Amino acid sequence: MKRLFKDGIITTLLGILFMIGAGYIFIVQQDNERALSLAGFGLIFLRSKDSLIGLKPKE
């Protein structure tokens, strides 16, 4: 939980936004391929740390 809320808050928020977008595309537009690729991208962001996108940890 420390990584999600202390070390990776930006990537966690981006991952959640991508997952919401994937759900919207899946339900409203019925485009399974695009929704699956967006969900995979969101999972990558949920598992990463902020340092991977160039943000330095707070001191």
Side-chain angles (χ1 to χ4, degrees), residues 11-47:
T11 54
T12 300
L13 292 176
L14 283 173
I16 290 171
L17 287 175
F18 279 122
M19 295 300 285
I20 290 171
Y24 173 79
I25 290 173
F26 180 73
I27 293 171
V28 174
Q29 296 180 356
Q30 300 293 320
D31 190 359
N32 294 342
E33 185 176 333
R34 187 178 296 168
L36 185 61
S37 63
L38 193 61
F41 198 61
L43 286 175
I44 290 171
F45 271 105
L46 283 175
R47 294 293 303 152

